[in-house]
Amino acid sequence: MAIQRTFSIIKPDATKRSLTGAINAKLEAAGLRIIAQKRIHLTKAQAGVFYEVHKERPFYDELCEFMASGPIVVQVLEGEDAIAKNREVMGATNPEEAAEGTIRKEFALSIGENSVHGSDGEDTAKVEIAYFFSGLELVG
Ligand code: CMP
């Protein structure tokens, strides 16, 4: 498998509980290098653009509200098969369905406040990385 890049967010429920370091430790232990990272606070409108694909879902407004409720940490992760690997270490969207040892099993509070986001494919990863990072910030 080739070296890939993926996009990751540590969500407000996790930054609020000071879990950034614990989550980063799990990502790094899985072989994902954090090649770019910054802590920011989105407006609801900015969250809305990021999650535009979910616009028609009943939870869209709640999701955007939550993502703007506190600081988030946005990251670019790099490694072998990084997209699938990150999704594996995150665990299922619903923490009740997440496997033992995954980030969501250990830290997520609910399906909405589920501590982390990760890109679901190569095209999405490119778009999501470009929404938050300029080329100059991706130093490898
Ligand atoms: P994420 O991987 O960031 O992608 C979309 C997000 O929508 C998802 O994680 C959840 O946080 C959120 N989400 C998905 N389903 C629900 C739901 N039923 N209720 C509230 N939020 C949800």
Side-chain angles (χ1 to χ4, degrees), residues 8-39:
S8 161
I9 303 180
I10 301 177
K11 297 186 179 183
D13 67 283
T15 60
K16 196 173 171 180
R17 289 175 288 148
S18 299
L19 292 172
T20 301
I23 290 172
N24 281 350
K26 278 191 176 286
L27 297 173
E28 291 184 336
L32 294 163
R33 296 178 58 236
I34 301 162
I35 62 160
Q37 173 171 262
K38 57 192 173 189
R39 186 172 168 106

Side-chain angles (χ1 to χ4, degrees), residues 11 50-51 54 57 59 62-63 66-67 87 90 93 104 110-114 116-118:
K11 297 186 179 183
F50 179 73
Y51 278 118
H54 296 302
R57 304 280 192 98
F59 56 81
E62 183 191 330
L63 172 62
F66 165 62
M67 291 302 288
R87 292 181 72 75
M90 286 195 301
T93 304
R104 285 170 170 159
S110 64
I111 193 167
E113 302 198 12
N114 64 355
V116 281
H117 164 85

